[in-house]
Amino acid sequence: MVPPPPAQPPAAPPPPPGPADPARAVAVALLNLTGLGLGYALMRRRLATAVCVIVTGVLLVIALPAEPDGVSGGVLTAYVVLLALAAAHGAARGLRTPLVWPPRSPVAVLLGLVLLAAPVGGVVLYEGAREEATQQMLLDRLGQADQLVRTARSKPFETAETDYTTALAVYRDLREDHADSRAAKRVPDRLNTYYRTVGAPYDERKYCEAIAPLNHLRSVPDTIGEKVLGSLVSWPDDRLATSLYECGLPGLGSATGGAETGGHLDELLTTFPRSAQAARVEPAVGSAIDKTAKDLKGGEPCAANETMRILADQAKALPGDAAGLSAALDKDAARARGHVQAGTYACGVDQYRDGKFDEAQDTMDEFVGTYKNDKNRTRAQKIAIAAEIAQDEPAAGKRLPTLASGGGITVTISNDSPEAVEILYTGPVTGSVKLKACGGCKRYQSSVAASVSACQGGENYPSKTISLPAGTTYFLHKSTGGSASTGTDTTKIEPGYTYTECAYVVEGLGTGF
């Protein structure tokens, strides 16, 4: 049989109330302000002690580990109120309640002051930890911005621009809102990296790709002050001027080139008019005109002439005022227009020789209408006539018309139709004849009737006699009286004969000879 455990001695009763001791009351209040209820503990008030310890423990759970934002104001206010209540309540109880230890009140006051240094030191340490957490948070934010810049480098600028501007906003906020932080002090180095990263296409000689990023960098001072940027403010300028020149140069002579609104050479002359790159624009225009002028004499005069037209327009449109280039560019434009005049004729000849008779006619008609005093105008008119005939009768375009005219064989052309007509002819000589409408003439009902009766009715037919040399001549009759009908005829002209040609209209079939 197990003997019963020995009886525990009864707990010591709390000390009996004593006389009022203000020093002891102060000591209890100070000990309770430690947040651990030590004043209550020395008065053997276990429940009150436990409440103080639990409240402080909850606060520590909430506060640790230290975060940049710290503990909310509401929690801190509630805790301070509880400490104040514990101090006041403890002081009231300690006024007449003796302490277990120490026996003397002044010593208890001194102990309370010493122990109060612990929570005060804790607050100081906590604030230091919170400050370090803030610094780490800002460094993390800086690192995230740096990562955006690094990853954006592998993307096209149009896609990456949002990432760049986001990173730039972080750098700005760190400098403006947290100027004393470690992260903010690293921003200048990050900005150097930022500029080198964004402007990397220039270093790779990708001048067209570099324009948009460099323009972006020129706008950075609007986001981050010039004082912070220092020499970076002007860092993009020369690079952008070079990029605009190098990217705009291939556009000379191109329909999408530098003279169009917003073109690269436009932007160069407008943004950096006094730069060395701007000074190179006019010589480049002049060189392009010289090269194209040589191409006008080559195998593709039409393409070269179109290039020359564009160069003339570009030289005229480039904004050279601020750069002092207007007079030189105007001279270039005039010189290019002179080349266009010769090039238009050369193009028409080339089109004719290549059998592109419709294009040749349009080109020569344009030349004749535009350059009324050009020495080649008369021949251009003949080439246009021959090209028009050759569109219906390709054999007529086998040789290029000359300036020759007349001959020893007469050909009388009459108009037996109620419409005015124009007779074009080409062969050994090229020309045209216009005849007014025949007032008493009508349309023939059939080609057979026309072949028998045309110009045989004794009417006073409008007519004209021309002289042609021997050889094959190709005729094209076209109505100018409204029906727009045409007809062709090929005649071999031989010496010793006289020839007549009769223009007529067959109902529903068009014109004929």
Side-chain angles (χ1 to χ4, degrees), residues 202 205 207 238-250 252 264-266 268-269 272-289 318 320 323-325 328-329 332:
Y202 174 84
R205 298 182 180 275
Y207 297 114
D238 186 70
R239 292 170 171 81
L240 178 57
T242 298
S243 298
L244 290 171
Y245 177 80
E246 295 294 343
C247 187
L249 201 61
L252 288 174
H264 301 313
L265 296 183
D266 270 43
L268 171 60
L269 293 175
F272 306 104
R274 297 299 176 184
S275 64
Q277 295 86 342
R280 295 166 60 189
V281 171
E282 188 281 326
V285 172
S287 177
I289 291 173
L318 282 171
L325 301 176
L329 288 170
D332 288 333

Side-chain angles (χ1 to χ4, degrees), residues 403-467:
L403 291 173
S405 61
I409 304 171
T410 60
V411 178
T412 300
I413 303 173
S414 302
N415 183 19
D416 184 5
S417 77
E419 299 179 11
V421 296
E422 182 178 13
I423 311 301
L424 310 180
Y425 59 90
T426 189
V429 297
T430 301
S432 65
V433 174
K434 290 183 178 181
L435 298 175
K436 64 182 180 179
C438 176
C441 299
K442 297 181 180 180
R443 296 171 179 265
Y444 287 93
Q445 296 302 311
S446 67
S447 297
V448 175
S451 64
V452 173
S453 303
C455 295
Q456 303 296 320
E459 297 285 343
N460 185 21
Y461 301 110
S463 63
K464 189 171 183 178
T465 299
I466 59 175
S467 297

Side-chain angles (χ1 to χ4, degrees), residues 49 134 164 167 179 200 225 246 298 314 332 398 502:
T49 302
T134 300
Y164 283 132
E246 295 294 343
Q314 289 175 332
D332 288 333
K398 289 184 177 179
C502 180

Side-chain angles (χ1 to χ4, degrees), residues 415 417-422 435-437 443 477-486 505 510-511:
N415 183 19
S417 77
E419 299 179 11
V421 296
E422 182 178 13
L435 298 175
K436 64 182 180 179
R443 296 171 179 265
H477 160 222
K478 61 179 184 178
S479 171
T480 59
S483 66
S485 55
T486 62
V505 178
T511 61

